[in-house]
């Protein structure tokens, strides 16, 4: 393996990263559209949000399995200690949110007596929890707050990738793309 390949993420990691990134952005836009809609269209739009959330959960679990079985390239050598700590912290929070947000949504749906229709292919049954509309509503509120926090962290992540690519010139975004220059 050449040095550039060792500094770049594997093809599988790239596929998971970009599939999840696109799905998260689309799911955010679906949630925004649902919030602006009136019933019954609102429920139909949220059905897609819920199904895509479950798909994001499955993709994230696949990405974690991939990460545990494939080497991750080291962070660039020129990062300040605080940048390396911030990068690792944000990535950990990403995984927590990528798992926690779909599970929280599923839990809240379960507590409010709703199944999750997976794009008309099959129905995901409620989790085996008791009905509690008030707690379910509170979990939906935390889900929305978590989604907002996630958006800010995504912005920070993108800004960091752009900084490392265009100012530090250490490969930045090209570490997660199959093209571009990644310095040795």
């Amino acid at each position: 393996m050449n040095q550039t390949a060792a500094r770049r993420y594997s093809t599988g990691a790239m596929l998971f990263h970009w599939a999840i990134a696109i799905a998260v952005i689309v799911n955010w836009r679906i949630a925004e559209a649902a919030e602006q809609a009136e019933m019954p269209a609102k429920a139909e739009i949220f059905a897609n949000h819920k199904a895509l959330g479950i798909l994001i959960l499955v993709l994230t679990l696949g990405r974690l399995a991939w990460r545990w079985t494939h080497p991750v390239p080291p962070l660039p050598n020129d990062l300040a200690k605080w940048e390396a700590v911030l990068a690792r912290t944000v990535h950990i929070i990403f995984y927590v949110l990528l798992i926690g947000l779909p599970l929280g949504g599923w839990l809240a749906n379960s507590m409010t007596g709703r199944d999750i229709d997976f794009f008309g292919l099959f129905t995901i049954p409620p989790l085996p929890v008791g009905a509690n509309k008030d707690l379910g509503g509170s979990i939906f509120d935390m889900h929305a707050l978590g989604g907002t926090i996630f958006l800010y962290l995504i912005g920070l992540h993108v800004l960091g990738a752009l900084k490392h690519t265009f100012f530090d010139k250490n490969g930045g975004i090209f570490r997660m793309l199959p093209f571009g220059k990644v310095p040795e």
Side-chain angles (χ1 to χ4, degrees):
M1 177 186 310
N2 67 34
Q3 193 65 10
T4 297
R7 308 277 308 153
R8 198 181 295 276
Y9 282 85
S10 68
T11 301
M14 290 180 201
L15 290 172
F16 277 118
H17 175 274
W18 292 109
I20 292 169
I22 291 166
V24 165
I25 292 166
V26 168
N27 218 20
W28 162 53
R29 299 307 305 149
I30 290 171
E32 290 292 316
E35 288 295 334
Q36 304 305 315
E38 299 290 330
M39 293 300 270
K42 183 176 194 156
E44 292 173 18
I45 297 168
F46 263 127
N48 289 323
H49 174 76
K50 295 170 189 181
L52 190 52
I54 296 296
L55 181 59
I56 290 168
L57 174 62
V58 170
L59 287 170
T60 300
L61 295 174
R63 180 169 182 188
L64 281 171
W66 184 271
R67 185 179 177 107
W68 289 327
T69 59
H70 294 78
V72 176
L75 290 172
N77 295 331
D78 63 345
L79 292 186
K81 183 171 175 63
W82 69 267
E83 288 176 308
V85 169
L86 182 61
R88 287 188 176 99
T89 302
V90 168
H91 279 98
I92 289 167
I93 295 170
F94 276 170
Y95 283 116
V96 168
L97 291 171
L98 286 166
I99 293 170
L101 287 172
L103 286 178
W106 188 7
L107 177 62
N109 275 282
S110 299
M111 293 182 139
T112 56
R114 299 180 191 127
D115 293 336
I116 297 175
D117 174 58
F118 193 79
F119 301 115
L121 299 173
F122 55 88
T123 300
I124 298 169
L127 294 167
V129 295
N132 187 333
K133 290 188 187 272
D134 289 338
L135 182 55
S138 294
I139 294 170
F140 278 131
D141 291 342
M142 289 187 294
H143 178 83
L145 176 61
T148 300
I149 291 168
F150 198 15
L151 290 175
Y152 286 113
L153 289 175
I154 290 168
L156 178 65
H157 179 67
V158 169
L159 287 174
L162 294 173
K163 174 198 177 284
H164 295 303
T165 302
F166 298 110
F167 292 101
D168 300 341
K169 300 191 184 312
N170 66 10
I173 197 169
F174 298 117
R175 291 165 32 89
M176 191 52 83
L177 291 169
F179 56 84
K181 183 169 173 43
V182 180
E184 297 194 25

